[in-house]
Amino acid sequence: MSLDLFFQYLFAGITYGSIYAIVAIGFNIIYNATGIINFAQGEFVMLGGMISISLLQFMPLPYAIAGAVAITMAIGALIEILFIRWLDSPSVLRMIIITIGISILLRESALHIWGESIRSLPYFYGNEITTFSLGSVHLSPQVLWVITACAVMVCGLSVFFKGTPLGREMRACAANRTAAILCGINTRNMVTLSFMLSAGIGALAGCVMSPITYTQYDSGTSLAIKGFTVAILGGLGNSMAAVTAGILLGILEAFSVSVVPLAFQDAISITILLIILFIKPHGLFGSSEAARLKDF
Amino acid sequence: MKKGIKRIVLGSAVSCLLLVAPLHSALAGTIKVGAIFAVTGPASFLGGPEARSAEMVVEKINKAGGINGDTIELIIKDSAGSSEKAVSFAKQLIEEEKVVAIIGPSTSGESMAVKKIAEEGKTLLISCAAAEVIVDPVAGYVFKTPQKDSFAAQKIFEEMQRLKISTIAIAAGNDGFGKAGKDQLEKMAPAFGIKVAAAETYDSKATDLSALVAKLKADASIQAVINWSVVPAQAIIAKNMRQAGWQAPLFQSHGFGNIKYAEAAGAAAEGIIFPCGRLLIVDSLAANHPQKALLLQYKNEYEAKYKEDASAFGGYGFDAINMVVAAIKQGGNDRAKVRDAVEGLKNFTGVGGIFSFTPQDHNGLDIDSFAMLTVKDGKFVPYKGQ
Amino acid sequence: MKQRKNRALAALCLLVVCIHLVTVLTGSQYYLTQLTMAAYYGLVIIGLGTLMGYAGQISIGHAGFFAIGGYLSAALTTRNLASFQGDWPVRWLDALKMLKTTQDLSGDQLLTVAPWAACLCAVAAAALIALIIGIPVLKLKGHYLAMATLGFGTIIYRILLASPYFGEADGISEVPGFTLLPALGGLGPIMISGDADLRVLNYYLAWGVLIAGMVLLLNLIGARVGRALRSLHSSEDAAEACGIDTARFKLRVFVLSAVYAAIGGVLLTHFNGGIGPSEASVMKSVRYVALVAVGGMTHLWGTLLMGVGLTFLSLRGVFGTFDDAVFGMILILVMLFAPEGILSLRLKLVVQRIVQGVRS
């Protein structure tokens, strides 16, 4: 393999990986606050893309994206209030089934609202073929937007959770719910807030990746599966680990093209997931103690 | 004890509800036509436009008074692309609804699953799926409207011969559409002296294909790429190729035939060459071209009614329902007569081409049904060769 | 206890015969086809119901086992071995009388595995895979278990979709009928196939298999094993404390449910004459889970009735383009209002719960 080809695979892998990572971050927020894996996270990503494309007809791009994020956050809050809020200590099984049901509903609603055609946002900078080159390797500027968004999210969340009072309240809620209630924190609202935050992050992810991947009513499903593969790979609840795991998985998939027929590419990520689950279920960078701590 | 009785009551209630024979008896003067389309699910890019086109035609006919006074009742069943549902619906339409003909299904897998059922049920089936095996070996009651993939392949290879291209790569989606195309391409390439250096199948829902493009580009012997898929992959691979700085000719399948797809690929779509029915270049057809009037009519009506661009896929369903309508005009509500009428159609103008069926040819199209198109300045224009 | 069970079984048999007679009287025998298909899906659902309800293990990948059974059986009975006739595996199969020679569509000799042998292979393969996968998977809990089963189902789907041997996206068609007993004397053959004249026979065969499967599961639940399983469902730690080998029981039930799914897959494939990759998709697995949930995870009868009933409605296309949406809605509503299943629903409690929720 020539050095050129190596770098091309590497950057292709970073492209995939950043997309997976950005979806995985959303999972971790809800998981930490509630212990729920939200199977509907992929639909938030899809909704962000779809809504922003619809809004684009009426307003310029930055406002359309902001609008989409806001609306998706509202949808996230609505879902939490309608379906999750009034369950008292539901079992894991029940929560999994409910979130799967929610994801199906969101997907079918998107089908009936927007139809089955694909859409996308325009490239933020340049068009479909602008690239800038590092040597002989070309990278689309949109990929940089995705990576930047990823980095901004991780940093922003870090600041939010460690620096702001609201963030600290959420962490308290995640660490020990009873103690948080005793401290006067409204844990129910914290759960709603975590859903809103996850939905907003998902929506932003959807907007940023839409020019690369296109958005369709069912693009949420496969993204969700990749997303929580990556989240589990990194260790549920740890966003930095999720990003690292995402990039690693993306690179692995890209390089696998050179040895394995492309048709089996998806099977590779699932196989890795299964191996990790069997050997080290708390993820590459996690441990059962870290999982108990549930730190963002 | 109570629980047992409760169950018996529940069971009987459920079964009574389920088994009440269809209360709507066939109204005098209604002819039922069945349709199995993948309106939702992974093949919705096919089934959605097909179902809408068929509904449009039937609505128009009924408004104009029906056929010889009879109204047509179009019963559309959504199979969501699954063959077991197609099987169930086929049996239901044939035995319960007693339709005179069935149009669809949308995918090859489903069509093969119901081929035998239609044949045994002696009901006309006009499939909207592309696989050659649907009409080869020929079954008396089974027809199909899409053009042969082998013709598309042939047209592409002929052009490649002209451009002196001898080594290519094939990339196809992992759905039925991609599989059918890849099979034909690989089968026919040797006859044109073209070597297939790489043939890869990717997930049709893939979000990015840069790794595949990198691998193909690294093979210096590859002079052109044929991609056989639908959106989004066909736009993604075009973008990835041009982003990688690879200017090799990119040929696509007739699945590229919708201006929205060219828009989706944007600047990367320039110069893509693909075979397609003439729907997309109807404006540049000569005024006396036999298909022009029908194509314009279909395009304008579809776009006016559904506010979306007409595509060749919808055309499959449009042609199928029109054939059934023409057959009903001849044979009435009789299944055997309707079948014979369809088989007897000659020079039937459709969106996909001009159909002439024979007992051995239940596809009825020849290679002339395809024209070569390319994209220039974001618009489809006839390909005049470079 | 046993009396109640026998009475319920008798009631079901009676219902099956009654439905047949009703269809004869109203001339609507076409319903029997879809009831037959629904019965085979019902087999998968009661197997899954036992796993989820009595062993407490969620599986969002059970369509994978159904597909393993169906696809292996289909592939073995349609793929031509004529070119391998000299090789020892083929000669060995021939010696065991597992092969069948017919003519294919173009008149050439078609050498395939006989359906009964293919069925055995397929179900055995499913059981083996369940055993191998089950040991590591069942050690996981909660979300990790769900993800692992989802992963398993997805891998099976991907393998089936990518392999030319399994027909890739088109699936496998032209699957022959499954002859259980050849034609004897004046009686016709007992065969699982989609032929119109064998419809009534297949109806009774399907329901016979389903009822037999039900009897087996009910006996299992009633016996010591079943009591052990139910204790697992309520508290695994307590069960362990009582000396029950929870791991062994869970694995056994997992393999049993996989076998049920595989048998359903094999028989339905021969009935339909084909199978497609949609049978292994995640949506199918989710659908099975939805049906188990709505029936009530610890109520096998509820699971059976609701499972067969809703599958029948779905096969008739009653839900139109909202098919998936309906199952999604069912999932949500059942989990919110009736986690113990619809049959346990008491309207008063539901209203109480809604009021409680609104107030808080």
Side-chain angles (χ1 to χ4, degrees), chain A residues 8 23 43 60 64 83 106-107 111 161 170 185 188:
Chain A
Q8 274 166 350
V23 177
E43 314 316 314
F83 300 122
L106 285 174
R107 196 182 64 219
L111 171 62
F161 285 123
M170 274 184 79
I185 298 176
R188 281 175 180 266

Side-chain angles (χ1 to χ4, degrees), chain C residues 193-204:
Chain C
S193 117
D195 283 344
D197 26 327
L198 294 170
R199 194 196 341 238
V200 176
L201 176 67
N202 270 280
Y203 171 70
Y204 281 112

Side-chain angles (χ1 to χ4, degrees), chain C residues 80-235:
Chain C
N80 198 352
L81 296 168
S83 44
F84 302 106
Q85 253 176 332
D87 302 341
W88 69 263
V90 179
R91 280 187 282 129
W92 185 67
L93 284 172
D94 205 18
L96 288 170
K97 298 227 188 315
M98 284 187 174
L99 295 180
K100 197 170 89 160
T101 313
T102 41
Q103 273 198 326
D104 74 359
L105 292 164
S106 26
D108 299 326
Q109 191 207 33
L110 185 64
L111 187 66
T112 59
V113 179
W116 66 266
C119 172
L120 276 174
C121 288
V123 175
L128 192 66
I129 293 177
L131 193 64
I132 297 176
I133 292 278
I135 298 174
V137 163
L138 292 173
K139 288 208 183 87
L140 301 168
K141 303 248 185 327
H143 288 119
Y144 299 111
L145 173 62
M147 282 305 307
T149 53
L150 181 66
F152 166 72
T154 312
I155 282 202
I156 299 289
Y157 177 66
R158 291 281 161 207
I159 292 178
L160 292 173
L161 203 57
S163 313
Y165 181 68
F166 290 122
E168 285 173 311
D170 292 336
I172 301 180
S173 52
E174 305 284 334
V175 176
F178 184 170
T179 312
L180 294 168
L181 280 173
L184 289 167
L187 296 166
I190 298 194
M191 202 162 94
I192 297 187
S193 117
D195 283 344
D197 26 327
L198 294 170
R199 194 196 341 238
V200 176
L201 176 67
N202 270 280
Y203 171 70
Y204 281 112
L205 274 175
W207 279 92
V209 170
L210 181 59
I211 291 177
M214 193 67 183
V215 167
L216 186 67
L217 286 179
L218 286 173
N219 282 335
L220 189 74
I221 294 169
R224 215 173 63 173
V225 171
R227 289 200 291 272
L229 289 174
R230 267 177 293 161
S231 67
L232 262 182
H233 182 75
S234 24
S235 166

Side-chain angles (χ1 to χ4, degrees), chain B residues 41-322:
Chain B
S44 52
F45 62 90
L46 289 167
E50 286 165 1
R52 289 192 283 272
S53 306
E55 278 173 340
M56 184 178 83
V57 168
V58 171
E59 207 182 292
K60 190 170 161 203
I61 290 182
N62 284 339
K63 252 194 216 144
I67 304 180
N68 301 330
D70 295 327
T71 41
I72 309 269
E73 187 188 339
L74 181 66
I75 305 173
I76 299 184
K77 292 287 192 192
D78 175 17
S79 67
S82 48
S83 49
E84 69 273 5
K85 278 218 169 134
V87 166
S88 172
F89 291 149
K91 291 187 176 168
Q92 188 178 342
L93 288 169
I94 293 176
E95 294 168 8
E96 185 182 333
E97 303 282 358
K98 300 203 184 6
V99 297
V100 72
I102 301 180
I103 55 175
S106 316
T107 66
S108 306
E110 294 173 85
S111 302
M112 287 313 291
V114 302
K115 182 175 171 184
K116 200 163 145 207
I117 298 173
E119 194 62 18
E120 283 173 0
K122 299 208 187 330
T123 308
L124 175 67
L125 181 81
I126 304 189
S127 166
C128 298
E132 315 257 332
V133 286
I134 297 174
V135 291
D136 173 24
V138 169
Y141 279 87
V142 178
F143 297 76
K144 81 171 169 94
T145 49
Q147 306 98 327
K148 285 207 176 112
D149 282 335
S150 54
F151 289 153
Q154 204 177 324
K155 273 209 113 70
I156 292 179
F157 287 139
E158 278 171 3
E159 188 51 38
M160 284 183 167
Q161 273 185 331
R162 236 185 31 85
L163 292 172
K164 309 267 191 301
I165 295 173
S166 57
T167 312
I168 60 166
I170 299 176
N174 68 352
D175 51 14
F177 183 80
K179 171 177 180 269
K182 182 160 168 271
D183 286 344
Q184 288 305 316
L185 287 170
E186 284 180 311
K187 202 162 90 173
M188 299 187 68
F192 290 85
I194 294 179
K195 174 162 168 273
V196 177
E200 294 275 6
T201 313
Y202 52 81
D203 184 30
S204 29
K205 292 267 167 267
T207 49
D208 190 84
L209 292 164
S210 327
L212 173 65
V213 167
K215 181 178 174 190
L216 295 175
K217 185 170 172 230
D219 184 344
S221 67
I222 294 178
Q223 297 164 293
V225 176
I226 307 182
N227 178 54
W228 210 272
S229 68
V230 285
V231 283
Q234 59 189 357
I236 291 177
I237 200 172
K239 284 192 315 192
N240 289 152
M241 276 181 72
R242 303 305 180 221
Q243 280 168 0
W246 197 16
Q247 299 304 329
L250 175 62
F251 290 80
Q252 298 257 26
S253 66
H254 46 288
F256 196 63
N258 183 324
I259 196 67
K260 275 245 164 334
Y261 302 161
E263 284 168 7
E270 289 296 307
I272 290 182
I273 308 168
F274 64 104
C276 197
R278 292 186 169 73
L279 178 64
L280 303 168
I281 46 162
V282 60
D283 296 319
S284 56
L285 289 175
N288 60 358
H289 192 282
Q291 279 182 285
K292 182 155 183 160
L294 180 80
L295 290 176
L296 275 174
Q297 181 207 346
Y298 174 60
K299 189 163 183 277
N300 295 333
E301 278 176 15
Y302 189 88
E303 288 174 5
K305 189 166 159 81
Y306 296 112
K307 313 266 183 295
E308 68 180 35
D309 294 295
S311 69
F313 295 139
Y316 300 154
F318 184 76
D319 288 342
I321 189 73
N322 278 329

